[in-house]
Amino acid sequence: MLNKKLLDVLSHPVDGAVSIVTNGDAGPHLVNTWNNYIVVTPDDKLLIPVSGFNKTEKNLSVHNQVILSIASREIEGYKAKGTGFIVKGTTRFIKSGDDFDHMKEKFSWIRAVLEITVTTATQML
Protein backbone atom coordinates (compact mmCIF):
# COMPACT_ATOMS: atom_id res chain seq x y z
CA MET A 1 0.00 0.00 0.00
CA LEU A 2 2.73 2.50 0.91
CA ASN A 3 4.83 3.28 -2.13
CA LYS A 4 8.55 4.06 -2.12
CA LYS A 5 8.08 7.81 -2.61
CA LEU A 6 5.81 8.09 0.46
CA LEU A 7 8.27 6.02 2.47
CA ASP A 8 11.05 8.38 1.29
CA VAL A 9 9.03 11.37 2.53
CA LEU A 10 8.40 9.72 5.89
CA SER A 11 12.03 8.76 6.38
CA HIS A 12 13.69 11.94 5.12
CA PRO A 13 15.99 13.37 7.80
CA VAL A 14 14.86 16.97 7.24
CA ASP A 15 11.74 17.49 9.35
CA GLY A 16 8.53 17.92 7.43
CA ALA A 17 5.20 18.76 9.04
CA VAL A 18 2.45 16.16 9.01
CA SER A 19 -1.11 17.44 9.45
CA ILE A 20 -3.67 15.09 10.99
CA VAL A 21 -7.36 15.87 10.50
CA THR A 22 -10.18 14.27 12.50
CA ASN A 23 -13.87 15.02 12.58
CA GLY A 24 -15.89 15.65 15.72
CA ASP A 25 -19.10 17.28 16.92
CA ALA A 26 -17.55 20.73 16.44
CA GLY A 27 -16.38 19.90 12.91
CA PRO A 28 -12.86 19.19 11.65
CA HIS A 29 -9.95 19.28 14.09
CA LEU A 30 -6.31 19.59 13.07
CA VAL A 31 -3.08 18.63 14.85
CA ASN A 32 0.48 18.31 13.59
CA THR A 33 3.51 16.13 14.08
CA TRP A 34 6.85 15.59 12.30
CA ASN A 35 7.49 13.10 9.50
CA ASN A 36 10.47 11.55 11.25
CA TYR A 37 8.34 10.76 14.34
CA ILE A 38 6.26 8.32 12.29
CA VAL A 39 7.27 4.66 12.40
CA VAL A 40 6.09 2.37 9.59
CA THR A 41 5.38 -1.21 10.68
CA PRO A 42 6.14 -4.26 8.49
CA ASP A 43 2.42 -4.43 7.62
CA ASP A 44 2.37 -0.74 6.53
CA LYS A 45 0.65 0.72 9.57
CA LEU A 46 1.76 4.15 10.71
CA LEU A 47 2.63 4.59 14.38
CA ILE A 48 2.60 8.17 15.65
CA PRO A 49 3.79 9.08 19.16
CA VAL A 50 1.17 10.99 21.15
CA SER A 51 1.71 13.43 23.99
CA GLY A 52 -1.41 15.61 23.84
CA PHE A 53 -3.90 14.94 21.04
CA ASN A 54 -6.76 14.82 23.58
CA LYS A 55 -9.40 16.22 21.22
CA THR A 56 -8.04 14.02 18.43
CA GLU A 57 -8.46 10.96 20.65
CA LYS A 58 -11.99 12.03 21.61
CA ASN A 59 -12.95 12.54 17.95
CA LEU A 60 -11.46 9.20 16.90
CA SER A 61 -13.32 7.35 19.66
CA VAL A 62 -16.55 8.29 17.83
CA HIS A 63 -15.37 8.35 14.20
CA ASN A 64 -12.11 6.44 13.75
CA GLN A 65 -11.23 7.73 10.28
CA VAL A 66 -8.38 10.18 9.76
CA ILE A 67 -6.82 12.18 6.93
CA LEU A 68 -3.14 13.11 6.90
CA SER A 69 -1.24 15.55 4.72
CA ILE A 70 2.40 14.47 4.47
CA ALA A 71 4.88 16.45 2.37
CA SER A 72 8.56 17.16 1.79
CA ARG A 73 10.28 19.83 -0.27
CA GLU A 74 13.30 17.53 -0.45
CA ILE A 75 11.80 14.58 -2.37
CA GLU A 76 11.28 14.70 -6.13
CA GLY A 77 7.63 15.10 -7.13
CA TYR A 78 5.84 14.74 -10.46
CA LYS A 79 7.41 17.83 -12.06
CA ALA A 80 10.01 19.18 -9.67
CA LYS A 81 11.58 18.77 -6.27
CA GLY A 82 8.87 18.61 -3.62
CA THR A 83 6.02 16.17 -3.20
CA GLY A 84 3.08 15.52 -0.93
CA PHE A 85 0.52 12.85 -0.14
CA ILE A 86 -3.00 12.71 1.21
CA VAL A 87 -3.27 9.60 3.35
CA LYS A 88 -6.56 8.25 4.66
CA GLY A 89 -7.02 5.49 7.18
CA THR A 90 -8.65 4.02 10.23
CA THR A 91 -7.21 4.41 13.68
CA ARG A 92 -6.85 3.23 17.22
CA PHE A 93 -4.96 4.53 20.23
CA ILE A 94 -2.46 2.10 21.77
CA LYS A 95 -1.55 2.55 25.43
CA SER A 96 0.18 -0.76 26.16
CA GLY A 97 1.79 -3.72 24.41
CA ASP A 98 4.79 -4.26 22.16
CA ASP A 99 4.17 -1.36 19.75
CA PHE A 100 3.63 1.05 22.65
CA ASP A 101 6.78 -0.17 24.44
CA HIS A 102 8.86 0.15 21.25
CA MET A 103 7.62 3.71 20.67
CA LYS A 104 8.09 4.63 24.37
CA GLU A 105 11.76 3.61 24.08
CA LYS A 106 12.17 5.94 21.12
CA PHE A 107 10.00 8.78 22.47
CA SER A 108 10.08 8.82 26.28
CA TRP A 109 7.49 11.63 26.47
CA ILE A 110 4.53 9.73 24.95
CA ARG A 111 1.29 8.80 26.69
CA ALA A 112 -0.07 6.76 23.75
CA VAL A 113 0.52 5.77 20.14
CA LEU A 114 -1.85 6.63 17.31
CA GLU A 115 -1.94 3.62 14.98
CA ILE A 116 -3.19 4.28 11.45
CA THR A 117 -4.18 1.51 9.08
CA VAL A 118 -3.79 3.17 5.69
CA THR A 119 -6.72 2.74 3.29
CA THR A 120 -5.48 5.16 0.57
CA ALA A 121 -2.31 7.13 -0.09
CA THR A 122 -2.52 9.53 -3.01
CA GLN A 123 0.42 11.56 -4.30
CA MET A 124 -0.65 15.17 -4.91
CA LEU A 125 2.49 16.91 -6.17
PDB file of all heavy atoms in Angstrom, residues 28-47:
ATOM      1  N   PRO A  28     -14.230  19.691  11.794  1.00  0.00           N
ATOM      2  CA  PRO A  28     -12.861  19.191  11.649  1.00  0.00           C
ATOM      3  C   PRO A  28     -11.928  19.727  12.737  1.00  0.00           C
ATOM      4  O   PRO A  28     -12.091  20.853  13.216  1.00  0.00           O
ATOM      5  CB  PRO A  28     -12.430  19.717  10.278  1.00  0.00           C
ATOM      6  CG  PRO A  28     -13.691  20.033   9.568  1.00  0.00           C
ATOM      7  CD  PRO A  28     -14.670  20.436  10.622  1.00  0.00           C
ATOM      8  N   HIS A  29     -10.966  18.906  13.107  1.00  0.00           N
ATOM      9  CA  HIS A  29      -9.949  19.282  14.093  1.00  0.00           C
ATOM     10  C   HIS A  29      -8.592  18.901  13.514  1.00  0.00           C
ATOM     11  O   HIS A  29      -8.430  17.822  12.946  1.00  0.00           O
ATOM     12  CB  HIS A  29     -10.195  18.540  15.408  1.00  0.00           C
ATOM     13  CG  HIS A  29      -9.126  18.774  16.424  1.00  0.00           C
ATOM     14  ND1 HIS A  29      -8.936  19.987  17.049  1.00  0.00           N
ATOM     15  CD2 HIS A  29      -8.180  17.942  16.915  1.00  0.00           C
ATOM     16  CE1 HIS A  29      -7.915  19.890  17.893  1.00  0.00           C
ATOM     17  NE2 HIS A  29      -7.440  18.659  17.827  1.00  0.00           N
ATOM     18  N   LEU A  30      -7.620  19.768  13.665  1.00  0.00           N
ATOM     19  CA  LEU A  30      -6.306  19.590  13.066  1.00  0.00           C
ATOM     20  C   LEU A  30      -5.222  19.616  14.131  1.00  0.00           C
ATOM     21  O   LEU A  30      -5.217  20.485  15.008  1.00  0.00           O
ATOM     22  CB  LEU A  30      -6.058  20.717  12.052  1.00  0.00           C
ATOM     23  CG  LEU A  30      -4.728  20.760  11.344  1.00  0.00           C
ATOM     24  CD1 LEU A  30      -4.634  19.637  10.334  1.00  0.00           C
ATOM     25  CD2 LEU A  30      -4.560  22.108  10.654  1.00  0.00           C
ATOM     26  N   VAL A  31      -4.303  18.634  14.042  1.00  0.00           N
ATOM     27  CA  VAL A  31      -3.079  18.629  14.851  1.00  0.00           C
ATOM     28  C   VAL A  31      -1.916  18.331  13.920  1.00  0.00           C
ATOM     29  O   VAL A  31      -2.121  17.897  12.785  1.00  0.00           O
ATOM     30  CB  VAL A  31      -3.128  17.603  16.008  1.00  0.00           C
ATOM     31  CG1 VAL A  31      -4.172  17.979  17.032  1.00  0.00           C
ATOM     32  CG2 VAL A  31      -3.358  16.194  15.490  1.00  0.00           C
ATOM     33  N   ASN A  32      -0.703  18.539  14.406  1.00  0.00           N
ATOM     34  CA  ASN A  32       0.483  18.307  13.589  1.00  0.00           C
ATOM     35  C   ASN A  32       1.508  17.467  14.335  1.00  0.00           C
ATOM     36  O   ASN A  32       1.534  17.444  15.566  1.00  0.00           O
ATOM     37  CB  ASN A  32       1.134  19.650  13.206  1.00  0.00           C
ATOM     38  CG  ASN A  32       0.280  20.431  12.254  1.00  0.00           C
ATOM     39  OD1 ASN A  32       0.067  20.020  11.124  1.00  0.00           O
ATOM     40  ND2 ASN A  32      -0.232  21.566  12.700  1.00  0.00           N
ATOM     41  N   THR A  33       2.353  16.829  13.556  1.00  0.00           N
ATOM     42  CA  THR A  33       3.514  16.126  14.079  1.00  0.00           C
ATOM     43  C   THR A  33       4.616  16.252  13.032  1.00  0.00           C
ATOM     44  O   THR A  33       4.452  16.967  12.044  1.00  0.00           O
ATOM     45  CB  THR A  33       3.179  14.652  14.421  1.00  0.00           C
ATOM     46  OG1 THR A  33       4.276  14.093  15.171  1.00  0.00           O
ATOM     47  CG2 THR A  33       2.891  13.835  13.184  1.00  0.00           C
ATOM     48  N   TRP A  34       5.730  15.558  13.239  1.00  0.00           N
ATOM     49  CA  TRP A  34       6.848  15.586  12.296  1.00  0.00           C
ATOM     50  C   TRP A  34       6.958  14.258  11.568  1.00  0.00           C
ATOM     51  O   TRP A  34       6.719  13.198  12.140  1.00  0.00           O
ATOM     52  CB  TRP A  34       8.157  15.883  13.025  1.00  0.00           C
ATOM     53  CG  TRP A  34       8.144  17.189  13.727  1.00  0.00           C
ATOM     54  CD1 TRP A  34       8.113  17.392  15.077  1.00  0.00           C
ATOM     55  CD2 TRP A  34       8.131  18.488  13.136  1.00  0.00           C
ATOM     56  NE1 TRP A  34       8.085  18.739  15.348  1.00  0.00           N
ATOM     57  CE2 TRP A  34       8.097  19.439  14.179  1.00  0.00           C
ATOM     58  CE3 TRP A  34       8.147  18.950  11.825  1.00  0.00           C
ATOM     59  CZ2 TRP A  34       8.087  20.809  13.945  1.00  0.00           C
ATOM     60  CZ3 TRP A  34       8.124  20.312  11.597  1.00  0.00           C
ATOM     61  CH2 TRP A  34       8.103  21.232  12.653  1.00  0.00           C
ATOM     62  N   ASN A  35       7.371  14.317  10.305  1.00  0.00           N
ATOM     63  CA  ASN A  35       7.491  13.105   9.497  1.00  0.00           C
ATOM     64  C   ASN A  35       8.417  12.082  10.135  1.00  0.00           C
ATOM     65  O   ASN A  35       8.145  10.887  10.095  1.00  0.00           O
ATOM     66  CB  ASN A  35       7.950  13.424   8.073  1.00  0.00           C
ATOM     67  CG  ASN A  35       9.354  13.986   8.012  1.00  0.00           C
ATOM     68  OD1 ASN A  35       9.729  14.836   8.826  1.00  0.00           O
ATOM     69  ND2 ASN A  35      10.141  13.539   7.053  1.00  0.00           N
ATOM     70  N   ASN A  36       9.512  12.525  10.730  1.00  0.00           N
ATOM     71  CA  ASN A  36      10.466  11.548  11.253  1.00  0.00           C
ATOM     72  C   ASN A  36      10.057  10.982  12.614  1.00  0.00           C
ATOM     73  O   ASN A  36      10.754  10.150  13.167  1.00  0.00           O
ATOM     74  CB  ASN A  36      11.892  12.087  11.264  1.00  0.00           C
ATOM     75  CG  ASN A  36      12.077  13.283  12.144  1.00  0.00           C
ATOM     76  OD1 ASN A  36      11.218  13.615  12.944  1.00  0.00           O
ATOM     77  ND2 ASN A  36      13.193  13.953  11.997  1.00  0.00           N
ATOM     78  N   TYR A  37       8.904  11.409  13.156  1.00  0.00           N
ATOM     79  CA  TYR A  37       8.345  10.765  14.342  1.00  0.00           C
ATOM     80  C   TYR A  37       7.556   9.509  13.954  1.00  0.00           C
ATOM     81  O   TYR A  37       7.304   8.656  14.788  1.00  0.00           O
ATOM     82  CB  TYR A  37       7.389  11.698  15.070  1.00  0.00           C
ATOM     83  CG  TYR A  37       8.021  12.753  15.940  1.00  0.00           C
ATOM     84  CD1 TYR A  37       9.387  12.962  15.998  1.00  0.00           C
ATOM     85  CD2 TYR A  37       7.215  13.562  16.724  1.00  0.00           C
ATOM     86  CE1 TYR A  37       9.932  13.937  16.801  1.00  0.00           C
ATOM     87  CE2 TYR A  37       7.751  14.538  17.543  1.00  0.00           C
ATOM     88  CZ  TYR A  37       9.109  14.724  17.579  1.00  0.00           C
ATOM     89  OH  TYR A  37       9.641  15.689  18.390  1.00  0.00           O
ATOM     90  N   ILE A  38       7.131   9.411  12.709  1.00  0.00           N
ATOM     91  CA  ILE A  38       6.258   8.322  12.287  1.00  0.00           C
ATOM     92  C   ILE A  38       7.077   7.064  12.011  1.00  0.00           C
ATOM     93  O   ILE A  38       8.058   7.099  11.280  1.00  0.00           O
ATOM     94  CB  ILE A  38       5.445   8.722  11.044  1.00  0.00           C
ATOM     95  CG1 ILE A  38       4.545   9.921  11.378  1.00  0.00           C
ATOM     96  CG2 ILE A  38       4.626   7.548  10.538  1.00  0.00           C
ATOM     97  CD1 ILE A  38       3.783  10.471  10.193  1.00  0.00           C
ATOM     98  N   VAL A  39       6.645   5.967  12.606  1.00  0.00           N
ATOM     99  CA  VAL A  39       7.271   4.660  12.396  1.00  0.00           C
ATOM    100  C   VAL A  39       6.320   3.842  11.531  1.00  0.00           C
ATOM    101  O   VAL A  39       5.120   3.770  11.794  1.00  0.00           O
ATOM    102  CB  VAL A  39       7.529   3.949  13.746  1.00  0.00           C
ATOM    103  CG1 VAL A  39       7.986   2.515  13.529  1.00  0.00           C
ATOM    104  CG2 VAL A  39       8.553   4.735  14.560  1.00  0.00           C
ATOM    105  N   VAL A  40       6.874   3.226  10.479  1.00  0.00           N
ATOM    106  CA  VAL A  40       6.091   2.366   9.594  1.00  0.00           C
ATOM    107  C   VAL A  40       6.336   0.916  10.013  1.00  0.00           C
ATOM    108  O   VAL A  40       7.487   0.482  10.098  1.00  0.00           O
ATOM    109  CB  VAL A  40       6.487   2.572   8.114  1.00  0.00           C
ATOM    110  CG1 VAL A  40       5.676   1.651   7.215  1.00  0.00           C
ATOM    111  CG2 VAL A  40       6.304   4.033   7.711  1.00  0.00           C
ATOM    112  N   THR A  41       5.259   0.185  10.272  1.00  0.00           N
ATOM    113  CA  THR A  41       5.376  -1.212  10.680  1.00  0.00           C
ATOM    114  C   THR A  41       5.564  -2.105   9.444  1.00  0.00           C
ATOM    115  O   THR A  41       5.299  -1.664   8.321  1.00  0.00           O
ATOM    116  CB  THR A  41       4.119  -1.679  11.444  1.00  0.00           C
ATOM    117  OG1 THR A  41       3.015  -1.712  10.540  1.00  0.00           O
ATOM    118  CG2 THR A  41       3.829  -0.768  12.630  1.00  0.00           C
ATOM    119  N   PRO A  42       5.979  -3.344   9.634  1.00  0.00           N
ATOM    120  CA  PRO A  42       6.136  -4.257   8.490  1.00  0.00           C
ATOM    121  C   PRO A  42       4.845  -4.462   7.689  1.00  0.00           C
ATOM    122  O   PRO A  42       4.895  -4.754   6.500  1.00  0.00           O
ATOM    123  CB  PRO A  42       6.599  -5.567   9.139  1.00  0.00           C
ATOM    124  CG  PRO A  42       7.278  -5.138  10.393  1.00  0.00           C
ATOM    125  CD  PRO A  42       6.497  -3.934  10.870  1.00  0.00           C
ATOM    126  N   ASP A  43       3.685  -4.285   8.341  1.00  0.00           N
ATOM    127  CA  ASP A  43       2.416  -4.432   7.624  1.00  0.00           C
ATOM    128  C   ASP A  43       1.834  -3.074   7.205  1.00  0.00           C
ATOM    129  O   ASP A  43       0.630  -2.935   7.003  1.00  0.00           O
ATOM    130  CB  ASP A  43       1.407  -5.248   8.433  1.00  0.00           C
ATOM    131  CG  ASP A  43       1.115  -4.662   9.806  1.00  0.00           C
ATOM    132  OD1 ASP A  43       1.830  -3.740  10.250  1.00  0.00           O
ATOM    133  OD2 ASP A  43       0.155  -5.125  10.447  1.00  0.00           O
ATOM    134  N   ASP A  44       2.713  -2.071   7.055  1.00  0.00           N
ATOM    135  CA  ASP A  44       2.372  -0.739   6.526  1.00  0.00           C
ATOM    136  C   ASP A  44       1.413   0.074   7.382  1.00  0.00           C
ATOM    137  O   ASP A  44       0.704   0.939   6.882  1.00  0.00           O
ATOM    138  CB  ASP A  44       1.822  -0.836   5.100  1.00  0.00           C
ATOM    139  CG  ASP A  44       2.913  -1.054   4.077  1.00  0.00           C
ATOM    140  OD1 ASP A  44       4.098  -0.872   4.411  1.00  0.00           O
ATOM    141  OD2 ASP A  44       2.585  -1.399   2.931  1.00  0.00           O
ATOM    142  N   LYS A  45       1.386  -0.166   8.679  1.00  0.00           N
ATOM    143  CA  LYS A  45       0.646   0.716   9.573  1.00  0.00           C
ATOM    144  C   LYS A  45       1.576   1.846   9.983  1.00  0.00           C
ATOM    145  O   LYS A  45       2.792   1.690  10.037  1.00  0.00           O
ATOM    146  CB  LYS A  45       0.142  -0.042  10.791  1.00  0.00           C
ATOM    147  CG  LYS A  45      -0.940  -1.038  10.428  1.00  0.00           C
ATOM    148  CD  LYS A  45      -1.499  -1.731  11.625  1.00  0.00           C
ATOM    149  CE  LYS A  45      -2.574  -2.693  11.165  1.00  0.00           C
ATOM    150  NZ  LYS A  45      -3.127  -3.442  12.269  1.00  0.00           N
ATOM    151  N   LEU A  46       0.998   3.004  10.248  1.00  0.00           N
ATOM    152  CA  LEU A  46       1.762   4.154  10.709  1.00  0.00           C
ATOM    153  C   LEU A  46       1.573   4.284  12.208  1.00  0.00           C
ATOM    154  O   LEU A  46       0.443   4.281  12.699  1.00  0.00           O
ATOM    155  CB  LEU A  46       1.279   5.432  10.015  1.00  0.00           C
ATOM    156  CG  LEU A  46       1.263   5.421   8.489  1.00  0.00           C
ATOM    157  CD1 LEU A  46       0.764   6.763   7.971  1.00  0.00           C
ATOM    158  CD2 LEU A  46       2.633   5.113   7.932  1.00  0.00           C
ATOM    159  N   LEU A  47       2.672   4.397  12.936  1.00  0.00           N
ATOM    160  CA  LEU A  47       2.634   4.595  14.380  1.00  0.00           C
ATOM    161  C   LEU A  47       3.123   6.004  14.677  1.00  0.00           C
ATOM    162  O   LEU A  47       4.236   6.380  14.284  1.00  0.00           O
ATOM    163  CB  LEU A  47       3.515   3.572  15.098  1.00  0.00           C
ATOM    164  CG  LEU A  47       3.197   2.098  14.858  1.00  0.00           C
ATOM    165  CD1 LEU A  47       4.178   1.220  15.634  1.00  0.00           C
ATOM    166  CD2 LEU A  47       1.763   1.771  15.214  1.00  0.00           C
TER     167      LEU A  47
END
